[in-house]
């Protein structure tokens, strides 16, 4: 991680779980970003308390309101971040916010299919669209050749549960809407890699492992990874990614996963 020089990063869904862990570990780096934008739905609410405590210790942390299912909220967040960056671009956008509903083939509902898709797929699409000008600016302003996460990148937090070849832990939970949403997010990542690669922006889907968070523990099974382990792994993998990885699906240890 030592060579990972990111000037600015934005993490969605940073109120808890992996998003909060990412914000904490970026801030704890020996060469932290100049700006860490940690977004949450309600910066004034109880969910933002940990972020607020973190911000009181780290002036380079900015808490931004962002509800990923609300286009107006996304636009307002992009405008706020642009204002703070004062003419420079955003290097790294991490679309981490996500939801899971514990449904089966029998119990899955239209409402949950729609809400999970809106949050896990349409959200990252709209957030990426809104921050694209700032990502392009970062790419254009960088002297680095090729593609990299320290130049300009979109990281979509996916799940091996969305792998069609190897649908992780089917016996433990069918989670139909969630699996479908992550398969779609992987396709979105591929499309972004095709569409944005020419602009100098790397797009990647990352499976964080099975992690002890509210979501990871929701099916009450033994969960192997702590947030700290998963995030440390992810932050070791991101700096190793380059042009050849554009549009790939990798896990927290850097292993390429099948779609
Ligand atoms: P958590 O449930 O612990 O946290 C989810 C985060 O997303 C919270 O900050 C939550 O905010 C935010 N969020 C949810 N809906 C929205 C929304 N509509 N707008 C804005 N923010 C929202 O999940 P994890 O930390 O475990 O998961 C993070 C990502 O990693 C997800 O994309 C998940 O699918 C993925 N993942 C997780 C795995 C695991 O084992 N934990 C395994 C594979 C993938 P709020 O506090 O306001 O609810």
């Amino acid at each position: 991680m030592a060579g990972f020089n990111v000037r600015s990063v934005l993490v969605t869904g940073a109120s808890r779980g992996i998003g909060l862990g990412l914000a904490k570990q970026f801030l704890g780096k020996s060469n932290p970003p100049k700006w860490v934008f940690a977004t949450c739905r309600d910066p004034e609410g109880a969910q933002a308390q940990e972020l607020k405590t973190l911000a009181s210790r780290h002036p380079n942390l900015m808490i931004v309101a962002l509800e990923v299912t609300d286009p107006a909220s996304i636009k307002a967040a992009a405008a706020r971040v642009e204002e703070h960056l004062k003419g420079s671009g955003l290097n790294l956008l991490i679309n981490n916010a996500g939801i899971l509903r514990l449904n089966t083939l029998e119990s899955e509902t239209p409402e949950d299919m729609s809400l999970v898709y809106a949050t896990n797929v349409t959200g990252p699409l709209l957030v990426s669209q809104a921050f694209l000008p700032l990502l392009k600016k970062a790419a254009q302003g960088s002297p680095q050749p090729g593609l990299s996460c320290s130049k300009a990148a979109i990281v979509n937090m996916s799940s091996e549960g969305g792998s069609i070849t190897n649908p992780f832990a089917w016996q433990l939970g069918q989670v139909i809407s969630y699996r479908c949403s992550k398969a779609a997010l992987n396709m979105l990542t591929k499309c972004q890699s095709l569409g944005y690669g020419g602009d100098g922006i790397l797009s990647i889907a990352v499976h964080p492992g099975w992690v002890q968070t509210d979501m990871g523990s929701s099916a009450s099974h033994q969960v192997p990874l702590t947030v700290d382990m998963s995030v440390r792994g992810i932050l070791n993998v991101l700096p190793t990614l380059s042009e050849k990885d554009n549009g790939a699906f990798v896990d927290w240890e850097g292993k390429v996963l099948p779609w």
Side-chain angles (χ1 to χ4, degrees), residues 1-257:
M1 187 175 20
F4 194 24
N5 289 308
V6 180
R7 194 171 178 276
S8 54
V9 55
L10 183 139
V11 184
T12 67
S15 55
R16 55 197 166 96
I18 296 166
L20 180 63
L22 282 164
K24 279 184 181 165
Q25 286 200 26
F26 271 113
L27 292 166
K29 271 162 56 68
S30 55
N31 54 343
K34 183 161 189 228
W35 286 113
V36 175
F37 299 99
T39 83
C40 65
R41 297 199 246 204
D42 178 13
E44 299 313 318
Q47 285 285 28
Q49 200 45 55
E50 265 208 74
L51 272 182
K52 275 187 169 165
T53 308
L54 206 57
S56 67
R57 283 185 279 131
H58 297 276
N60 52 338
L61 173 64
M62 197 190 149
I63 304 171
V64 180
L66 202 168
E67 159 61 62
V68 302
T69 61
D70 177 4
S73 164
I74 296 172
K75 273 202 189 114
R80 265 201 88 194
V81 169
E82 183 177 17
E83 203 179 301
H84 269 266
L85 286 171
K86 296 190 171 65
S88 61
L90 178 70
N91 298 116
L92 188 54
L93 168 64
I94 304 185
N95 284 312
N96 165 78
I99 57 168
L100 175 149
R101 293 289 182 266
L102 290 171
N103 288 326
T104 63
L105 279 171
E106 283 70 34
S107 66
E108 190 54 87
T109 65
E111 291 76 20
D112 279 351
M113 285 299 285
S114 298
L115 181 62
V116 173
Y117 195 90
T119 309
N120 294 1
V121 190
T122 313
L125 168 74
L126 298 183
V127 170
S128 303
Q129 286 175 341
F131 286 92
L132 184 63
L134 289 173
L135 289 164
K136 280 186 180 171
K137 196 175 271 186
Q140 284 157 9
S142 169
Q144 298 175 41
L147 302 179
S148 71
C149 284
S150 49
K151 181 176 176 177
I154 298 170
V155 173
N156 291 324
M157 207 58 81
S158 186
S159 169
E160 200 176 5
S163 168
I164 290 168
T165 309
N166 180 26
F168 178 74
W170 171 258
Q171 311 305 336
L172 301 182
Q174 296 188 357
V175 292
I176 305 302
S177 48
Y178 183 74
R179 290 182 191 276
C180 293
S181 75
K182 293 299 186 180
L185 180 64
N186 287 348
M187 178 49 109
L188 173 65
T189 308
K190 183 70 195 180
C191 295
Q192 289 173 325
S193 74
L194 296 170
Y196 301 153
D199 294 316
I201 300 166
L202 176 73
S203 300
I204 191 94
V206 174
H207 167 61
W210 193 3
V211 190
Q212 295 160 15
T213 63
D214 293 338
M215 182 190 289
S217 306
S218 57
S220 66
H221 293 285
Q222 197 76 14
V223 180
L225 293 178
T226 62
V227 168
D228 198 54
M229 288 156 76
S230 165
V231 169
R232 216 167 337 113
I234 293 168
L235 293 193
N236 279 330
V237 170
L238 295 186
T240 68
L241 303 173
S242 66
E243 205 132 351
K244 66 178 180 1
D245 306 298
N246 195 23
F249 181 26
V250 300
D251 74 2
W252 65 288
E253 293 179 299
K255 193 171 76 182
V256 175
L257 300 178

